[in-house]
Amino acid sequence: MSFATKRLGKELSKINNSLPPGIELVSADNFEEWFLDIRVLDNNPLYANQVYRLKFKFSAQYPIEPPEVVFVKLANRPIPIHPHIYSNGIICLDLLGQQGWSPVQNVESICMSLQSMLTGNNKDERPAGDEEFVRGNRLRPKDIDFYYHDNNV
Amino acid sequence: MPPPNTPDESLPDEEQANLAVFLPPDQPRRPDSILERRTTRTTEHQTAPSQRGPAILPLDYQVLDYVDTVDDTLLCPVCRTAFHSPIITTCGHTFCATCINRALEMQPTCPIDRKPINKTSDFHQPPLIIKEQLDRLKVKCPNVGCGHICSREHLEGHYEHRCEYTQVLCPSSWCEKRIARRYVSADSHCMHSEAPCQYCEENVAEIDLSHHYDYLCNGVTATCQQCEASIVQHRLEKHIEEDCPETEVDCQWFSIGCKVSDKRLIVFEHEKDCPYKIIGQLVKERAEDRKLIDGLMGRITVLETRAYERHERQARRAQRGSLWPPPSTTAGSQGDSVPGAETEEERYLRSSTSPEGYMLARFERLESRMEDLAKQLQDMDAYQSSFVLQQLYPINNQLVELGSKVGVLNMHTTWLMNMQRFQQRAVQTNGPGLANPGMSSAAENNAPPPAVDDYSGPHYDQYYRTFRRRNSDGRDMPPRL
Ligand SMILES: [Zn+2]
Ligand SMILES: [Zn+2]
Ligand SMILES: [Zn+2]
Ligand SMILES: [Zn+2]
Ligand SMILES: [Zn+2]
Ligand SMILES: [Zn+2]
Ligand SMILES: [Zn+2]
């Protein structure tokens, strides 16, 4: 059994017991790909009454390596507008990068970080160069090295 | 546009290498520490001569199932299981050795507070109290089929030496498969080769035959007379003997005194809270201890005989006007000297006195330790017996108390039933106030009921009094239930 499987098994049984408000497990059929729904808990007009779908992809090295986390677009699940979220769902959060990641993080803590990232935002805009990036990007999210230092969110 | 990242470096999987580096050089090596044991064990496995892998796969601490929920403070933040070979960093955080080593491959900082960590200078032994807490955790044996539960410090011993379900290498030297220890055949032949099942002609490995018969075989089926399950013909007998929920069986504590005997299903439910369970378990434990003691005693006897033989030889040599003084500690005076030709062995021993003396001294030390052990075992045995008795005494008392309570209850019930019957009768026949408790009550009632054909009041009063007198608590009023 791989390290990731063992750890994810532990996380799943905890998630099945309880999750913080605003986070819901949609599916976890294997230990490679999970889907969760999140929503903000305050009345931020940018995100009020919306639910967002997250896709987690785990490598065999999880939690040593970060999971790949993106927002997924569905009929009733838009991509939240945010200066660090590209319109194809890729998230620019240092927690999810190779540098900012720590193996003590877990699915639940990532969801909570994303929740608070949305809650704290009031800019109705996409990252600079979004269109260009979305058109040209062929890289997997984890291979993109974002510049986190310009973050003010 | 952000530049792509450098390609991932895959993590080396060698636990051994990781373990070797985390012991700080200036730290005195404690031979009893978990770290030490773990390291030696790994080495053993690695030096196993066979090409077929280690004799026993190392115990995987990350999949252990603990009996109670493990306190959060004992969980490794990386793998989320109870620490295994924990180390503490200079910044004060604790991780499993393997976990922190893997994490450091990725980033040379503490996963929690991101302080830089150097494997050689920032790894320390955790306080003993943590190890003790970990040692005490109650854990289930990870082998499928084994229900053994013990404290974690003993699990490795159980898993490696005693568990009958541990997967060991197939005794046949050319087979690379593994087999549970209990299924290793007496003549050490390989049980993995497939042969057609004699009932359904499907190819089945010998090791899987029993499972095949029980669950997979498509041979001629028969219907169990008792539970109507459909079973492969040749397993019917076994089914009735071991599985059928309708077979009459005794409670598993039958030999200890529980006389419950019923259909398997009912007995199974009963066994969950059989009053004899506690005693039964104690007796079982004691039997296990006994076995252990017997084994040790046997070994002691063997050693004692050997020691005695040694003594004799030594004494003989001493008496023969020896060329060397025998070591003072081992100067055995007993021993009838057997004058005669020097044996080849003795001549050899004579030429190497000091190692011999040394060995004898060591041997005697060991012997005295064995004696101590035997004594300790006897003490334990005595302790165990008195423990059983201590446990039995309150249980006995409780049983007596329960018995008397049941008696009282029984009486109350009878009284109530009579009362009710009497009232019903009164309403039906003589109107309110008069009745007969009825002939039907005679069976359940120890008190003599009034004559069957007599419905008059006085008799009832008399009956009522008789009955009331039987109340052992002497209350006048009907007891409140
Ligand atoms: Zn730290
Ligand atoms: Zn760990
Ligand atoms: Zn076992
Ligand atoms: Zn074999
Ligand atoms: Zn068959
Ligand atoms: Zn049956
Ligand atoms: Zn019983």
Side-chain angles (χ1 to χ4, degrees), chain B residues 374-391:
Chain B
K375 207 170 148 288
Q376 277 174 21
L377 282 173
Q378 267 166 8
D379 289 352
M380 256 180 64
D381 206 22
Y383 169 76
Q384 184 93 41
S385 320
S386 73
F387 182 67
V388 171
L389 283 177
Q390 262 175 35
Q391 295 270 323

Side-chain angles (χ1 to χ4, degrees), chain B residues 42-55:
Chain B
T42 322
T43 322
E44 267 168 32
H45 284 304
Q46 294 230 330
T47 52
S50 129
Q51 289 253 311
R52 304 186 289 156

Side-chain angles (χ1 to χ4, degrees), chain B residues 103-122:
Chain B
L104 291 181
E105 298 281 341
M106 191 77 177
Q107 274 182 39
T109 56
C110 170
I112 293 176
D113 57 15
R114 305 204 172 274
K115 293 206 172 117
I117 288 184
N118 181 312
K119 278 189 187 186
T120 43
S121 57
D122 289 327

Side-chain angles (χ1 to χ4, degrees), chain A residues 78-120:
Chain A
I79 307 284
I81 187 116
H82 190 282
H84 293 142
I85 301 173
Y86 289 91
S87 48
N88 58 2
I90 289 180
I91 306 159
C92 170
L93 177 66
D94 78 329
L95 173 73
L96 297 171
Q98 305 274 2
Q99 293 307 307
W101 172 255
S102 157
V104 302
Q105 301 288 349
N106 55 49
V107 172
E108 185 185 312
S109 71
I110 294 171
C111 288
M112 288 169 75
S113 302
L114 288 170
Q115 261 182 327
S116 74
M117 175 173 138
L118 296 183
T119 305

Side-chain angles (χ1 to χ4, degrees), chain A residues 1 3 6-7 10 61 63-65 98-104 106 133 139 142-145 147, chain B residues 1-5 8 11 60 62-63 77-81 95 99 102-103 106-107 111-112 114:
Chain A
M1 217 193 300
F3 199 66
K6 288 181 265 187
R7 157 79 181 255
K10 296 246 150 44
Q61 306 299 329
I64 303 301
E65 273 185 8
Q98 305 274 2
Q99 293 307 307
W101 172 255
S102 157
V104 302
N106 55 49
F133 172 77
L139 293 165
K142 64 187 241 178
D143 292 329
I144 303 165
D145 196 9
Y147 295 110
Chain B
M1 188 71 167
N5 215 349
D8 314 333
L11 297 171
D60 187 347
Q62 279 167 1
V63 296
V78 175
C79 65
R80 304 260 159 198
T81 49
F95 306 92
C99 290
R102 297 181 74 150
M106 191 77 177
Q107 274 182 39
I112 293 176
R114 305 204 172 274

Side-chain angles (χ1 to χ4, degrees), chain B residues 87-335:
Chain B
I87 58 109
I88 189 162
T89 58
T90 304
C91 54
H93 294 116
T94 314
F95 306 92
C96 311
T98 38
C99 290
I100 184 67
N101 277 305
R102 297 181 74 150
L104 291 181
E105 298 281 341
M106 191 77 177
Q107 274 182 39
T109 56
C110 170
I112 293 176
D113 57 15
R114 305 204 172 274
K115 293 206 172 117
I117 288 184
N118 181 312
K119 278 189 187 186
T120 43
S121 57
D122 289 327
F123 280 11
H124 312 283
Q125 297 262 341
L128 276 178
I129 186 160
I130 291 190
K131 291 181 181 172
E132 274 161 24
Q133 276 178 291
L134 290 167
D135 279 349
R136 266 185 230 158
L137 292 174
K138 286 269 175 276
V139 67
K140 294 176 191 154
C141 172
N143 287 330
V144 180
C146 175
H148 186 77
I149 289 177
C150 59
S151 54
R152 199 175 85 165
E153 77 182 305
H154 296 130
L155 182 65
E156 209 157 283
H158 164 81
Y159 173 82
E160 287 185 3
H161 303 296
R162 291 183 291 282
C163 184
E164 287 290 293
Y165 294 87
T166 300
Q167 297 279 320
V168 297
L169 278 174
C170 179
S172 158
S173 55
W174 49 265
C175 178
E176 291 185 357
K177 294 199 173 114
R178 287 176 183 276
I179 180 171
R181 202 178 263 140
R182 70 194 312 242
Y183 295 124
V184 174
S185 55
D187 59 351
S188 300
H189 76 276
C190 173
M191 292 174 74
H192 293 103
S193 51
E194 291 191 352
C197 163
Q198 54 171 316
Y199 301 100
C200 71
E201 283 166 15
E202 194 181 313
N203 272 347
V204 185
E206 191 179 340
I207 172 102
D208 300 323
L209 211 52
S210 175
H211 182 259
H212 168 82
Y213 284 157
D214 283 347
Y215 302 104
L216 305 170
C217 189
N218 291 321
V220 184
T221 54
T223 309
C224 170
Q225 298 280 327
Q226 302 186 87
C227 72
E228 288 169 8
S230 151
I231 315 283
V232 179
Q233 177 92 52
H234 54 279
R235 279 314 233 204
L236 193 57
E237 213 168 293
K238 187 184 173 226
H239 161 79
I240 291 174
E241 199 56 43
E242 292 174 15
D243 292 325
C244 186
E246 300 287 318
T247 307
E248 292 257 334
V249 291
D250 297 331
C251 171
Q252 62 166 310
W253 311 117
F254 188 80
S255 58
I256 289 143
C258 180
K259 293 299 172 220
V260 170
S261 178
D262 209 324
K263 293 187 171 162
R264 178 168 292 143
L265 209 64
I266 297 166
V267 171
F268 180 75
E269 283 302 315
H270 154 82
E271 277 172 357
K272 283 184 193 155
D273 34 34
C274 175
Y276 288 85
K277 196 166 157 187
I278 304 170
I279 309 164
Q281 273 161 355
L282 278 171
V283 170
K284 215 162 102 188
E285 266 168 38
R286 209 178 151 260
E288 268 166 29
D289 286 353
R290 187 75 244 177
K291 228 166 85 186
L292 218 89
I293 292 168
D294 285 347
L296 284 173
M297 288 299 261
R299 277 161 65 186
I300 291 171
T301 325
V302 171
L303 284 176
E304 267 174 351
T305 0
R306 274 194 218 148
Y308 181 71
E309 283 164 8
R310 272 285 164 93
H311 267 283
E312 291 236 298
R313 224 181 292 145
Q314 183 85 30
R316 251 180 278 147
R317 230 178 294 134
Q319 284 209 347
R320 227 177 282 127
S322 50
L323 303 169
W324 68 94
S328 57
T329 48
T330 59
S333 57
Q334 22 107 284

